[in-house]
Amino acid sequence: MLTIVKQALALVKPEVSSVGTGSISARGSLAQVGRYVPGKPIEEVQRELGLVQVVKLASNENAYGCSPKAAAAVAEEMARAALYPESFSPALAQKLSARLGVGEDQLLFGNGSDEIIGLLTRAFLEAGDEVVMADPTFTRYEQNVAIEGGVSVKVPCRDGVHDLDAMLGAITAKTKLIFVCNPNNPTGTTVGKDALRQFIDQVPDRVMVVVDEAYYEYVTSDDYLQTIPLLGAHSNLVVLRTFSKIYGLAGLRIGYAALHPDVASLLHKVRGPFNTSRLAQVAALASLDDPDFVAMCREQNAKERDRVAQALVEMGLRVYPSQTNFLLFEVPGSGVAVADRLLRHGIIVRAGEGLGVPGTVRVSLGTSEENDAFLRAMKHSIE
Protein backbone atom coordinates (compact mmCIF):
# COMPACT_ATOMS: atom_id res chain seq x y z
CA MET A 1 0.00 0.00 0.00
CA LEU A 2 1.23 3.45 -0.81
CA THR A 3 2.09 5.69 2.11
CA ILE A 4 0.85 9.19 1.31
CA VAL A 5 2.36 11.91 3.42
CA LYS A 6 -0.09 14.79 3.23
CA GLN A 7 1.75 18.00 3.73
CA ALA A 8 -0.24 20.59 1.83
CA LEU A 9 -2.16 23.10 3.90
CA ALA A 10 -5.23 22.39 1.82
CA LEU A 11 -5.13 18.74 2.92
CA VAL A 12 -3.99 18.94 6.53
CA LYS A 13 -4.05 21.61 9.18
CA PRO A 14 -0.58 21.70 10.73
CA GLU A 15 0.31 23.42 13.94
CA VAL A 16 1.38 27.01 13.33
CA SER A 17 5.06 27.65 14.00
CA SER A 18 5.88 30.99 15.56
CA VAL A 19 9.00 33.04 16.12
CA GLY A 20 10.06 34.78 19.34
CA THR A 21 7.02 36.08 21.22
CA GLY A 22 4.66 34.23 18.87
CA SER A 23 3.51 37.36 17.12
CA ILE A 24 5.30 36.38 13.88
CA SER A 25 3.94 33.23 12.26
CA ALA A 26 6.25 31.08 10.14
CA ARG A 27 5.14 29.50 6.89
CA GLY A 28 2.57 26.86 7.82
CA SER A 29 4.14 24.06 5.75
CA LEU A 30 7.27 24.17 7.95
CA ALA A 31 5.31 22.41 10.69
CA GLN A 32 5.60 19.30 8.50
CA VAL A 33 9.35 19.63 7.95
CA GLY A 34 12.03 18.04 10.09
CA ARG A 35 15.62 19.26 10.17
CA TYR A 36 18.16 17.28 8.17
CA VAL A 37 20.43 15.41 10.58
CA PRO A 38 23.92 14.80 9.16
CA GLY A 39 26.46 12.31 10.47
CA LYS A 40 28.26 13.42 13.63
CA PRO A 41 31.48 15.38 13.07
CA ILE A 42 34.73 13.79 14.28
CA GLU A 43 35.44 16.72 16.60
CA GLU A 44 32.09 16.37 18.37
CA VAL A 45 32.64 12.67 19.05
CA GLN A 46 36.15 13.33 20.34
CA ARG A 47 34.80 15.93 22.78
CA GLU A 48 31.87 13.83 23.96
CA LEU A 49 33.69 10.53 24.44
CA GLY A 50 37.24 11.70 25.08
CA LEU A 51 38.60 9.71 22.13
CA VAL A 52 41.78 10.56 20.27
CA GLN A 53 41.29 8.36 17.19
CA VAL A 54 37.91 8.62 15.48
CA VAL A 55 36.96 7.32 12.03
CA LYS A 56 33.99 8.95 10.30
CA LEU A 57 32.14 6.58 7.99
CA ALA A 58 28.75 8.27 8.08
CA SER A 59 28.40 10.80 5.26
CA ASN A 60 29.46 8.92 2.11
CA GLU A 61 32.47 11.18 1.60
CA ASN A 62 35.43 10.20 -0.57
CA ALA A 63 38.00 8.54 1.66
CA TYR A 64 40.75 9.43 -0.82
CA GLY A 65 40.11 13.17 -0.77
CA CYS A 66 40.08 15.16 -4.01
CA SER A 67 42.35 15.40 -7.03
CA PRO A 68 45.65 17.23 -6.41
CA LYS A 69 44.77 19.25 -9.52
CA ALA A 70 41.60 20.46 -7.81
CA ALA A 71 43.49 21.43 -4.66
CA ALA A 72 46.04 23.37 -6.71
CA ALA A 73 43.30 25.16 -8.65
CA VAL A 74 41.60 26.26 -5.43
CA ALA A 75 44.88 27.57 -3.99
CA GLU A 76 45.51 29.64 -7.12
CA GLU A 77 41.94 30.95 -7.26
CA MET A 78 42.15 32.29 -3.71
CA ALA A 79 43.84 35.38 -5.18
CA ARG A 80 40.44 36.22 -6.72
CA ALA A 81 38.31 35.33 -3.69
CA ALA A 82 37.16 38.95 -3.31
CA LEU A 83 35.42 38.82 -6.70
CA TYR A 84 31.98 37.37 -7.34
CA PRO A 85 32.00 34.19 -9.44
CA GLU A 86 30.54 33.97 -12.94
CA SER A 87 26.87 33.19 -12.45
CA PHE A 88 26.49 30.48 -15.12
CA SER A 89 29.84 28.70 -14.62
CA PRO A 90 30.65 29.08 -18.35
CA ALA A 91 34.07 27.41 -18.39
CA LEU A 92 32.73 24.41 -16.50
CA ALA A 93 29.64 24.27 -18.71
CA GLN A 94 31.78 24.29 -21.86
CA LYS A 95 33.99 21.42 -20.73
CA LEU A 96 31.17 19.35 -19.29
CA SER A 97 28.92 19.82 -22.33
CA ALA A 98 31.67 18.49 -24.61
CA ARG A 99 32.18 15.50 -22.34
CA LEU A 100 28.48 14.65 -21.96
CA GLY A 101 27.38 15.48 -25.49
CA VAL A 102 24.76 18.04 -24.44
CA GLY A 103 24.38 21.76 -25.08
CA GLU A 104 25.76 24.25 -22.59
CA ASP A 105 22.20 25.53 -22.16
CA GLN A 106 21.27 22.02 -20.97
CA LEU A 107 23.44 22.31 -17.87
CA LEU A 108 22.61 24.01 -14.59
CA PHE A 109 24.99 24.13 -11.63
CA GLY A 110 24.02 24.19 -8.00
CA ASN A 111 25.38 24.38 -4.47
CA GLY A 112 25.60 20.63 -4.59
CA SER A 113 22.94 18.69 -6.52
CA ASP A 114 20.98 18.99 -3.27
CA GLU A 115 20.27 22.64 -4.06
CA ILE A 116 18.87 21.69 -7.46
CA ILE A 117 16.37 19.37 -5.77
CA GLY A 118 15.10 22.44 -3.91
CA LEU A 119 15.03 24.51 -7.10
CA LEU A 120 12.89 21.85 -8.81
CA THR A 121 10.32 21.74 -6.02
CA ARG A 122 10.29 25.54 -5.79
CA ALA A 123 9.77 25.97 -9.52
CA PHE A 124 7.16 23.30 -10.14
CA LEU A 125 5.11 22.65 -7.00
CA GLU A 126 1.94 24.33 -5.84
CA ALA A 127 0.31 23.42 -2.53
CA GLY A 128 -1.33 20.01 -2.86
CA ASP A 129 0.73 18.83 -5.86
CA GLU A 130 2.02 15.28 -5.54
CA VAL A 131 5.56 13.95 -5.88
CA VAL A 132 6.23 10.21 -6.24
CA MET A 133 9.34 8.72 -4.65
CA ALA A 134 10.63 5.43 -3.28
CA ASP A 135 10.59 4.43 0.38
CA PRO A 136 13.29 4.47 1.62
CA THR A 137 15.20 7.00 -0.45
CA PHE A 138 17.12 10.26 -0.02
CA THR A 139 15.29 12.18 2.71
CA ARG A 140 15.86 15.59 1.11
CA TYR A 141 13.22 14.88 -1.54
CA GLU A 142 10.45 14.65 1.04
CA GLN A 143 11.74 17.64 2.99
CA ASN A 144 11.79 19.92 -0.05
CA VAL A 145 8.34 18.77 -1.11
CA ALA A 146 7.03 19.56 2.37
CA ILE A 147 8.52 23.05 2.35
CA GLU A 148 6.51 23.88 -0.78
CA GLY A 149 3.32 22.44 0.71
CA GLY A 150 3.36 19.44 -1.61
CA VAL A 151 2.38 15.82 -1.01
CA SER A 152 5.01 13.05 -0.95
CA VAL A 153 3.64 9.77 -2.31
CA LYS A 154 6.05 7.15 -1.00
CA VAL A 155 6.18 3.79 -2.78
CA PRO A 156 7.84 0.98 -0.78
CA CYS A 157 10.98 -0.53 -2.28
CA ARG A 158 11.27 -4.23 -2.95
CA ASP A 159 14.39 -5.57 -1.22
CA GLY A 160 15.79 -2.06 -1.27
CA VAL A 161 15.16 -1.53 -4.99
CA HIS A 162 12.73 0.99 -6.51
CA ASP A 163 9.42 -0.65 -7.47
CA LEU A 164 9.07 1.16 -10.79
CA ASP A 165 5.78 -0.50 -11.74
CA ALA A 166 4.18 0.60 -8.47
CA MET A 167 5.61 4.09 -8.93
CA LEU A 168 3.97 4.29 -12.35
CA GLY A 169 0.72 3.19 -10.74
CA ALA A 170 1.05 5.98 -8.17
CA ILE A 171 0.86 8.72 -10.80
CA THR A 172 -2.35 10.76 -10.61
CA ALA A 173 -3.64 13.96 -12.16
CA LYS A 174 -1.93 15.81 -9.30
CA THR A 175 1.54 14.33 -9.88
CA LYS A 176 4.16 16.90 -10.86
CA LEU A 177 7.49 15.19 -10.14
CA ILE A 178 8.95 11.71 -9.72
CA PHE A 179 12.31 11.15 -8.02
CA VAL A 180 14.35 8.07 -8.92
CA CYS A 181 17.54 7.81 -6.88
CA ASN A 182 19.83 5.53 -8.90
CA PRO A 183 21.90 4.24 -7.17
CA ASN A 184 19.55 4.64 -4.25
CA ASN A 185 20.53 6.25 -0.97
CA PRO A 186 20.36 4.69 1.64
CA THR A 187 20.17 1.16 0.15
CA GLY A 188 22.94 1.47 -2.47
CA THR A 189 20.90 -0.52 -4.99
CA THR A 190 20.24 0.22 -8.67
CA VAL A 191 17.38 -0.50 -11.04
CA GLY A 192 18.06 -2.41 -14.25
CA LYS A 193 18.68 -0.39 -17.39
CA ASP A 194 15.80 -1.91 -19.39
CA ALA A 195 13.35 -1.38 -16.53
CA LEU A 196 14.37 2.25 -16.07
CA ARG A 197 14.27 2.95 -19.82
CA GLN A 198 10.73 1.57 -20.04
CA PHE A 199 9.73 3.56 -16.96
CA ILE A 200 10.96 6.84 -18.44
CA ASP A 201 9.16 6.05 -21.71
CA GLN A 202 5.88 5.43 -19.87
CA VAL A 203 5.78 8.45 -17.56
CA PRO A 204 3.42 11.10 -19.02
CA ASP A 205 5.18 14.12 -20.55
CA ARG A 206 3.45 16.42 -18.04
CA VAL A 207 5.34 14.75 -15.15
CA MET A 208 8.99 15.59 -14.51
CA VAL A 209 11.24 12.53 -14.04
CA VAL A 210 14.25 13.40 -11.89
CA VAL A 211 16.95 10.71 -11.91
CA ASP A 212 19.41 11.44 -9.12
CA GLU A 213 22.79 9.93 -10.03
CA ALA A 214 24.95 11.30 -7.22
CA TYR A 215 26.85 8.00 -7.06
CA TYR A 216 26.99 7.47 -10.82
CA GLU A 217 30.80 7.32 -11.04
CA TYR A 218 31.00 4.50 -8.48
CA VAL A 219 28.80 2.13 -10.52
CA THR A 220 30.57 -0.95 -11.87
CA SER A 221 27.51 -2.94 -12.99
CA ASP A 222 26.87 -3.45 -16.72
CA ASP A 223 23.12 -3.33 -16.07
CA TYR A 224 22.99 0.44 -15.58
CA LEU A 225 21.16 2.89 -17.84
CA GLN A 226 22.99 5.81 -19.41
CA THR A 227 20.31 8.46 -19.01
CA ILE A 228 21.88 11.58 -20.51
CA PRO A 229 21.53 10.30 -24.13
CA LEU A 230 17.76 10.16 -23.47
CA LEU A 231 17.44 13.90 -22.88
CA GLY A 232 16.80 14.62 -26.55
CA ALA A 233 13.72 12.39 -26.62
CA HIS A 234 12.38 13.29 -23.19
CA SER A 235 11.95 16.97 -22.37
CA ASN A 236 10.58 15.98 -18.94
CA LEU A 237 13.80 14.20 -17.90
CA VAL A 238 16.27 15.75 -15.45
CA VAL A 239 19.54 14.01 -14.54
CA LEU A 240 21.32 15.10 -11.34
CA ARG A 241 25.02 14.51 -10.69
CA THR A 242 27.53 15.91 -8.24
CA PHE A 243 31.19 16.63 -7.60
CA SER A 244 30.67 15.84 -3.89
CA LYS A 245 31.18 12.08 -4.06
CA ILE A 246 33.87 10.47 -6.22
CA TYR A 247 35.44 13.86 -7.04
CA GLY A 248 35.82 14.57 -3.31
CA LEU A 249 34.51 18.14 -3.34
CA ALA A 250 31.72 17.76 -0.75
CA GLY A 251 33.08 20.68 1.27
CA LEU A 252 33.00 23.04 -1.73
CA ARG A 253 29.37 22.21 -2.68
CA ILE A 254 28.93 21.91 -6.43
CA GLY A 255 26.68 19.67 -8.47
CA TYR A 256 24.75 19.91 -11.71
CA ALA A 257 21.66 18.97 -13.64
CA ALA A 258 21.50 17.91 -17.29
CA LEU A 259 18.06 18.81 -18.61
CA HIS A 260 15.99 20.44 -21.35
CA PRO A 261 16.96 24.10 -22.00
CA ASP A 262 13.41 25.28 -21.27
CA VAL A 263 13.46 23.59 -17.86
CA ALA A 264 16.90 25.03 -17.15
CA SER A 265 15.58 28.49 -17.99
CA LEU A 266 12.79 28.10 -15.43
CA LEU A 267 15.19 26.96 -12.72
CA HIS A 268 17.45 29.94 -13.34
CA LYS A 269 14.51 32.13 -12.30
CA VAL A 270 14.52 30.64 -8.79
CA ARG A 271 18.28 30.17 -8.49
CA GLY A 272 20.49 32.58 -6.58
CA PRO A 273 22.73 34.54 -8.97
CA PHE A 274 26.00 33.40 -7.35
CA ASN A 275 25.00 30.00 -6.00
CA THR A 276 28.34 28.30 -6.78
CA SER A 277 31.59 29.83 -5.58
CA ARG A 278 34.71 30.64 -7.60
CA LEU A 279 36.58 27.97 -5.64
CA ALA A 280 33.98 25.30 -6.36
CA GLN A 281 33.90 26.12 -10.07
CA VAL A 282 37.66 25.90 -10.58
CA ALA A 283 37.94 22.77 -8.44
CA ALA A 284 35.26 21.03 -10.50
CA LEU A 285 36.91 22.16 -13.72
CA ALA A 286 40.30 20.79 -12.63
CA SER A 287 38.71 17.55 -11.42
CA LEU A 288 37.47 16.84 -14.93
CA ASP A 289 41.10 16.94 -16.07
CA ASP A 290 42.12 14.13 -13.72
CA PRO A 291 40.44 10.90 -14.93
CA ASP A 292 43.20 8.83 -13.32
CA PHE A 293 42.13 10.02 -9.87
CA VAL A 294 38.51 9.08 -10.56
CA ALA A 295 39.52 5.67 -11.90
CA MET A 296 41.67 5.01 -8.81
CA CYS A 297 38.80 5.93 -6.50
CA ARG A 298 36.35 3.72 -8.39
CA GLU A 299 38.69 0.72 -8.40
CA GLN A 300 39.70 1.03 -4.74
CA ASN A 301 36.10 1.57 -3.69
CA ALA A 302 34.87 -1.50 -5.61
CA LYS A 303 37.59 -3.66 -4.06
CA GLU A 304 36.82 -2.45 -0.54
CA ARG A 305 33.07 -2.67 -1.14
CA ASP A 306 33.33 -6.37 -1.98
CA ARG A 307 35.74 -7.08 0.88
CA VAL A 308 33.72 -5.31 3.58
CA ALA A 309 30.43 -6.75 2.34
CA GLN A 310 31.86 -10.28 2.45
CA ALA A 311 33.20 -9.74 5.97
CA LEU A 312 29.76 -8.57 7.14
CA VAL A 313 28.10 -11.59 5.53
CA GLU A 314 30.57 -13.84 7.36
CA MET A 315 29.36 -12.22 10.59
CA GLY A 316 25.87 -13.48 9.71
CA LEU A 317 24.52 -10.10 8.59
CA ARG A 318 22.39 -9.41 5.52
CA VAL A 319 23.99 -6.78 3.26
CA TYR A 320 22.12 -4.91 0.53
CA PRO A 321 23.86 -5.15 -2.87
CA SER A 322 25.55 -1.79 -3.40
CA GLN A 323 26.87 0.15 -6.39
CA THR A 324 27.96 3.10 -4.23
CA ASN A 325 30.64 4.01 -1.71
CA PHE A 326 28.53 2.80 1.21
CA LEU A 327 26.84 -0.37 2.45
CA LEU A 328 23.50 -0.81 4.19
CA PHE A 329 23.20 -3.94 6.30
CA GLU A 330 20.75 -5.45 8.77
CA VAL A 331 21.74 -5.84 12.41
CA PRO A 332 20.26 -7.72 15.36
CA GLY A 333 17.83 -5.45 17.15
CA SER A 334 18.19 -1.70 16.84
CA GLY A 335 20.43 0.08 14.35
CA VAL A 336 20.64 2.95 16.83
CA ALA A 337 22.03 0.64 19.51
CA VAL A 338 24.67 -0.85 17.19
CA ALA A 339 25.66 2.59 15.89
CA ASP A 340 26.04 3.80 19.48
CA ARG A 341 28.29 0.86 20.35
CA LEU A 342 30.40 1.54 17.26
CA LEU A 343 30.63 5.18 18.28
CA ARG A 344 32.18 4.18 21.59
CA HIS A 345 34.84 2.35 19.58
CA GLY A 346 35.51 5.58 17.67
CA ILE A 347 33.61 4.64 14.51
CA ILE A 348 30.90 7.03 13.27
CA VAL A 349 28.17 5.41 11.12
CA ARG A 350 24.49 6.12 10.46
CA ALA A 351 21.70 4.18 12.12
CA GLY A 352 19.02 3.08 9.67
CA GLU A 353 16.24 4.40 11.90
CA GLY A 354 17.12 7.94 10.82
CA LEU A 355 17.16 6.88 7.17
CA GLY A 356 13.81 5.14 7.06
CA VAL A 357 15.22 1.61 7.41
CA PRO A 358 14.90 0.47 11.05
CA GLY A 359 17.15 -2.35 12.20
CA THR A 360 19.98 -1.45 9.83
CA VAL A 361 23.24 0.47 9.77
CA ARG A 362 24.73 2.39 6.84
CA VAL A 363 28.51 2.56 6.71
CA SER A 364 30.50 4.63 4.24
CA LEU A 365 33.51 2.88 2.73
CA GLY A 366 36.83 4.29 3.87
CA THR A 367 40.43 3.40 3.23
CA SER A 368 41.54 -0.18 3.82
CA GLU A 369 42.80 0.77 7.29
CA GLU A 370 39.57 2.59 8.20
CA ASN A 371 37.47 -0.32 7.01
CA ASP A 372 39.58 -2.74 9.06
CA ALA A 373 38.95 -0.59 12.15
CA PHE A 374 35.22 -0.63 11.42
CA LEU A 375 35.13 -4.42 10.99
CA ARG A 376 37.04 -4.99 14.27
CA ALA A 377 34.59 -2.70 16.09
CA MET A 378 31.65 -4.33 14.35
CA LYS A 379 32.56 -7.76 15.73
CA HIS A 380 32.47 -6.36 19.27
CA SER A 381 29.23 -4.44 18.62
CA ILE A 382 27.09 -7.46 17.71
CA GLU A 383 28.45 -9.96 20.24
Side-chain angles (χ1 to χ4, degrees):
M1 181 181 294
L2 301 181
T3 301
I4 301 181
V5 181
K6 295 186 176 180
Q7 299 159 328
L9 294 178
L11 300 175
V12 297
K13 188 175 181 180
E15 296 179 7
V16 177
S17 300
S18 58
V19 178
T21 63
S23 59
I24 305 174
S25 295
R27 184 173 179 173
S29 61
L30 293 185
Q32 308 299 322
V33 181
R35 292 175 59 183
Y36 181 76
V37 181
K40 279 197 169 209
I42 290 174
E43 297 82 0
E44 182 180 337
V45 174
Q46 289 175 321
R47 285 194 305 270
E48 287 182 356
L49 300 180
L51 298 173
V52 176
Q53 294 295 324
V54 174
V55 177
K56 183 184 177 187
L57 300 174
S59 299
N60 306 339
E61 295 151 331
N62 189 340
Y64 307 102
C66 67
S67 163
K69 292 183 179 181
V74 169
E76 181 180 348
E77 191 66 19
M78 278 301 298
R80 291 174 284 278
L83 304 176
Y84 284 113
E86 291 190 88
S87 181
F88 291 90
S89 309
L92 185 55
Q94 183 180 39
K95 180 168 287 190
L96 200 54
S97 69
R99 176 165 300 193
L100 299 178
V102 299
E104 293 178 38
D105 60 351
Q106 290 182 267
L107 293 170
L108 180 138
F109 297 92
N111 192 246
S113 57
D114 182 72
E115 184 197 19
I116 303 174
I117 294 167
L119 297 180
L120 286 162
T121 56
R122 187 186 306 171
F124 288 101
L125 295 188
E126 307 277 3
D129 285 340
E130 295 178 355
V131 180
V132 176
M133 63 192 69
D135 184 22
T137 195
F138 187 38
T139 57
R140 291 291 290 160
Y141 306 147
E142 184 178 354
Q143 288 174 325
N144 279 288
V145 170
I147 289 168
E148 304 303 330
V151 180
S152 289
V153 180
K154 301 169 71 174
V155 180
C157 289
R158 289 187 176 183
D159 294 325
V161 180
H162 283 55
D163 187 342
L164 295 179
D165 289 338
M167 291 176 74
L168 278 174
I171 296 173
T172 71
K174 293 184 177 181
T175 306
K176 283 286 189 70
L177 298 168
I178 297 178
F179 283 105
V180 178
C181 192
N182 193 43
N184 189 35
N185 181 11
T187 60
T189 57
T190 58
V191 293
K193 59 184 177 183
D194 290 340
L196 183 55
R197 175 64 186 263
Q198 292 170 13
F199 176 83
I200 293 170
D201 287 343
Q202 292 178 71
V203 172
D205 292 343
R206 61 176 177 79
V207 177
M208 194 72 65
V209 181
V210 183
V211 183
D212 187 345
E213 297 181 345
Y215 300 91
Y216 167 81
E217 291 85 1
Y218 284 113
V219 174
T220 55
S221 171
D222 293 331
D223 191 23
Y224 188 82
L225 182 66
Q226 297 300 318
T227 49
I228 287 180
L230 304 182
L231 289 171
H234 297 278
S235 61
N236 63 329
L237 177 63
V238 176
V239 180
L240 301 182
R241 292 186 185 169
T242 186
F243 287 92
S244 293
K245 302 304 178 184
I246 207 165
Y247 291 102
L249 301 181
L252 291 179
R253 312 304 301 125
I254 185 163
Y256 64 94
L259 65 178
H260 191 278
D262 291 346
V263 180
S265 182
L266 286 171
L267 296 188
H268 281 301
K269 292 183 177 183
V270 296
R271 173 183 73 85
F274 304 114
N275 62 326
T276 61
S277 72
R278 299 187 73 93
L279 304 184
Q281 289 180 27
V282 298
L285 192 64
S287 295
L288 293 175
D289 286 333
D290 198 349
D292 290 343
F293 175 79
V294 173
M296 181 276 291
C297 292
R298 181 186 300 110
E299 291 165 9
Q300 287 296 114
N301 181 78
K303 182 168 67 175
E304 288 299 302
R305 186 171 63 202
D306 291 345
R307 183 176 75 89
V308 174
Q310 182 58 37
L312 291 170
V313 169
E314 290 172 0
M315 293 181 201
L317 305 173
R318 183 199 172 204
V319 183
Y320 287 78
S322 175
Q323 287 292 312
T324 66
N325 67 334
F326 61 83
L327 294 168
L328 183 75
F329 57 96
E330 296 177 355
V331 294
S334 163
V336 172
V338 172
D340 184 63
R341 289 195 286 271
L342 285 169
L343 193 65
R344 297 181 186 284
H345 286 280
I347 309 293
I348 308 173
V349 297
R350 291 292 297 273
E353 280 76 1
L355 302 170
V357 203
T360 66
V361 165
R362 190 191 72 187
V363 60
S364 305
L365 294 163
T367 63
S368 178
E369 294 77 15
E370 289 171 337
N371 295 333
D372 285 343
F374 158 70
L375 291 172
R376 288 193 297 270
M378 193 63 212
K379 288 181 181 179
H380 293 294
S381 299
I382 59 172
E383 289 176 349

